[in-house]
Amino acid sequence: METTQVTIDSYSDAKELLDRHGQGQLLDFWDKLSDTERSALLSQIETLDFPSIARMQSMLGQGDAAQAAFGAGTLPAEVMTPSEQETADAINIGESSLSEGRVGVILVAGGQGSRLGFDGPKGAFPVAPITNATLFEIHCHKILRLEEKYDTQIPFYVMTSETNNKPTHDFFAENNYFGLDPERVLFFIQGMWPTLTGEGKIILDSPHHIFMSPDGHGGTITALKNSGALDDMASRGLDTLFYFQVDNPLIEIADPAFIGLHANTGADVSVKVCAKRDAGEGLGVVAARDGHNMVIEYIDLPEEEAAATLPDGSLKFLYGSVAIHVFSLGFLKQEANAELPLHVAHKKVPYCNADGETVRPGEPNAFKFEKFIFDVLPDANTVLNLAFAREEEFSPVKNATGADSPETTQRDMIRKYSRWLEACGIEVPKDDSGTPVYKIEIDPRFAGNVQDLRSKLPQDFAVTDDVLLV
Ligand code: UTP
């Protein structure tokens, strides 16, 4: 985390620092605090990243700095849809990288999961249709399967935040790291930032506590550097890092074809992209301008551009990014010192009133700032945007109900596994709407793809009830 690099161990140090930055209000309750509360507040003050706070203040009243994203000359980015032969060749290359132990995996799991409203780290959410296996278990079993299949070691870097680091750590430990070697599961903590009032003041949520929230998934690379994880990657001989988000159990972790195409292209960063469902879908689209690749967020894409079509009727800006990436280690190192743009949102944030009571406002009262991982794209010399089939690889748990909820994710898991069974020549009973009648779950350790499944299914296998293959 970027810090002020100062040690604060007294009231006078803190007062001098805060007055210099116009944040003296953080000490308003000092006289009423116990010794423990005072030292907790001083420790928080010590972590404040004043250079970033100054950038945030300069954005107040001006909107999102990244909103200038759609400028003249912005065109859809080139997207690769590989031929069967290209995919087959890439798989060989990707498999060699895996076998040679050059691939690591980065999972970002530092978010707050506020839309899902689950009490605990989102990765501990039970999602599998029959066993209720959690997101973390599913991800770990996928890595384990790759380690077994390629007789290799795949270091797993898990980003948490101050808020969920201990519960995440504990969850892995209680579950025996889901079979992974703990020596290869490395947690690193992302930075936390304060929120600001419209006047640029940092907000206390109790007399001795500053309200802080994670600095966004764009904080990943700085956190990798500051935690020593980038050096760890180099010392383990890695050169390729697969990156994904915690909430998507359909993810094809370190998919050899993706790794191979990334290598073949000589890309700094690769992006899996899928076709938007319609012009209004809230997915950031991949674009390019003046030789630089980028992702333009949904809100930044002018309506007429979002709706524009090509002569064949398809959307001009068709492809969206769902934050599945491959990075070259050299590029991560380069970006560790990059200053990513800040994105701002107006949020409801608990605050401490003049009587020292915590108030939960009904309306947005504060500005929250985040960095986004896709903002590294313009810095890359070469970017591969690779088209993939959404139904095979992406169905996130974002909301408690409705779209992108546990219900839709389980449905999509069952559909995916039913397609695998059908590809193996097994008949899957379906209702009139085409939905499988029975629940189907395949543990990633049992089979990681159709070929695996085919080699393991008993001769006389038939679907006559719920199917659990573990
Ligand atoms: P989301 O944007 O879906 O945010 O994160 P979220 O925090 O999980 O959920 P809401 O918005 O509060 O409902 C996408 C991915 O990025 C990670 C999340 O853990 C998730 O895997 N993330 C997000 C971080 O690791 N750190 C952050 O600061 C934000």
Side-chain angles (χ1 to χ4, degrees):
M1 187 166 60
E2 298 162 54
T3 67
T4 53
Q5 306 280 313
V6 286
T7 307
I8 308 272
D9 46 25
S10 72
Y11 173 82
S12 55
D13 283 354
K15 177 137 180 49
E16 191 278 317
L17 177 74
L18 294 174
D19 283 347
R20 192 151 32 93
H21 293 286
Q23 302 291 353
Q25 78 286 353
L26 296 180
L27 297 173
D28 276 357
F29 297 95
W30 185 262
D31 292 342
K32 298 186 182 124
L33 302 184
S34 68
D35 284 351
T36 318
E37 289 170 337
R38 285 179 176 180
S39 81
L41 182 58
L42 291 183
S43 315
Q44 263 198 311
I45 292 170
E46 201 171 273
T47 69
L48 290 173
D49 170 9
F50 283 107
S52 293
I53 292 166
R55 287 176 70 206
M56 296 172 194
Q57 287 169 325
S58 70
M59 283 171 63
L60 290 171
Q62 292 184 24
D64 198 322
Q67 275 184 9
F70 198 91
T74 307
L75 293 169
E78 242 179 71
V79 170
M80 179 184 201
T81 308
S83 66
E84 271 182 35
Q85 188 56 50
E86 282 171 324
T87 303
D89 293 346
I91 288 174
N92 285 333
I93 292 168
E95 291 190 330
S96 300
S97 297
L98 284 158
S99 306
E100 289 161 15
R102 293 193 279 115
V103 179
V105 171
I106 300 170
L107 167 64
V108 289
Q112 294 172 308
S114 43
R115 284 169 287 172
L116 181 61
F118 174 63
D119 187 18
K122 210 189 216 183
F125 185 79
V127 73
I130 297 175
T131 60
N132 281 326
T134 61
L135 288 158
F136 280 141
E137 176 170 344
I138 292 170
H139 300 327
C140 289
H141 281 191
K142 287 185 183 178
I143 294 174
L144 209 49
R145 172 76 197 133
L146 290 171
E147 290 198 324
E148 285 164 0
K149 182 166 176 178
Y150 296 108
D151 187 19
T152 193
Q153 302 191 340
I154 302 183
F156 186 27
Y157 300 88
V158 181
M159 186 167 84
T160 61
S161 70
E162 292 290 351
T163 320
N164 69 14
N165 183 56
K166 182 164 181 341
T168 302
H169 226 140
D170 291 349
F171 192 71
F172 271 76
E174 282 155 21
N175 289 284
N176 218 5
Y177 290 76
F178 305 99
L180 290 174
D181 182 340
E183 196 273 325
R184 285 197 293 285
V185 181
L186 300 113
F187 298 92
F188 65 105
I189 305 180
Q190 71 178 110
M192 300 282 278
W193 276 341
T195 53
L196 301 184
T197 66
E199 292 72 47
K201 300 290 180 190
I202 296 173
I203 297 177
L204 287 172
D205 59 4
S206 80
H208 64 278
H209 191 263
I210 300 170
F211 180 88
M212 303 281 276
S213 53
D215 62 359
H217 41 64
T220 306
I221 303 179
T222 313
L224 281 171
K225 177 184 159 211
N226 291 349
S227 65
L230 285 184
D231 293 336
D232 181 85
M233 290 167 178
S235 72
R236 288 174 195 256
L238 307 182
D239 57 22
T240 305
L241 281 306
F242 178 84
Y243 167 105
F244 74 112
Q245 302 189 332
V246 74
D247 47 26
N248 174 26
L250 258 52
I251 186 79
E252 292 292 337
I253 295 178
D255 158 21
F258 191 26
I259 303 279
L261 288 165
H262 172 86
N264 271 349
T265 318
D268 291 321
V269 49
S270 293
V271 185
K272 275 212 178 167
V273 297
C274 63
K276 279 173 69 166
R277 292 197 177 104
D278 52 57
E281 187 182 2
L283 212 56
V285 294
V286 287
R289 187 174 62 238
D290 301 332
H292 296 284
N293 277 262
M294 60 190 74
V295 167
I296 311 253
E297 274 200 282
Y298 168 65
I299 44 161
D300 299 334
L301 186 65
E303 239 171 72
E304 62 281 8
E305 292 288 347
T309 52
L310 299 177
D312 68 1
S314 63
L315 289 175
K316 176 180 169 194
F317 285 94
L318 177 62
Y319 288 103
S321 165
V322 295
I324 303 173
H325 300 298
V326 175
F327 291 102
S328 295
L329 180 58
F331 182 67
L332 288 181
K333 284 185 179 159
Q334 173 198 311
E335 286 303 287
N337 299 316
E339 194 171 77
L340 296 184
L342 304 180
H343 298 254
V344 63
H346 204 198
K347 294 271 183 185
K348 291 184 241 175
V349 161
Y351 66 94
C352 184
N353 69 13
D355 297 324
E357 296 153 349
T358 303
V359 180
R360 293 185 185 279
E363 296 300 323
N365 61 324
F367 293 91
K368 183 178 165 188
F369 298 81
E370 281 187 302
K371 293 183 278 189
F372 292 165
I373 191 72
F374 58 68
D375 282 323
V376 301
L377 285 173
D379 296 340
N381 284 326
T382 310
V383 172
L384 165 69
N385 292 301
L386 178 66
F388 77 101
R390 177 194 302 229
E391 66 278 13
E392 294 298 328
E393 300 183 35
F394 184 65
S395 182
V397 184
K398 296 277 185 199
N399 306 304
T401 55
D404 294 338
S405 67
E407 190 184 336
T408 55
T409 301
Q410 285 198 349
R411 178 201 66 195
D412 293 341
M413 291 173 83
I414 291 172
R415 287 182 179 170
K416 174 171 176 168
Y417 298 135
S418 91
R419 284 192 297 274
W420 282 15
L421 287 170
E422 286 172 337
C424 296
I426 310 292
E427 194 185 322
V428 177
K430 302 215 177 107
D431 66 17
D432 292 346
S433 71
T435 304
V437 174
Y438 301 113
K439 289 183 180 175
I440 304 171
E441 180 179 333
I442 300 174
D443 187 303
R445 286 197 75 182
F446 182 85
N449 55 30
V450 172
Q451 291 73 31
D452 275 3
L453 185 61
R454 197 172 285 134
S455 68
K456 286 206 173 169
L457 275 184
Q459 283 285 335
D460 55 348
F461 189 82
V463 180
T464 54
D465 201 343
D466 288 353
V467 174
L468 175 61
L469 296 169
V470 287

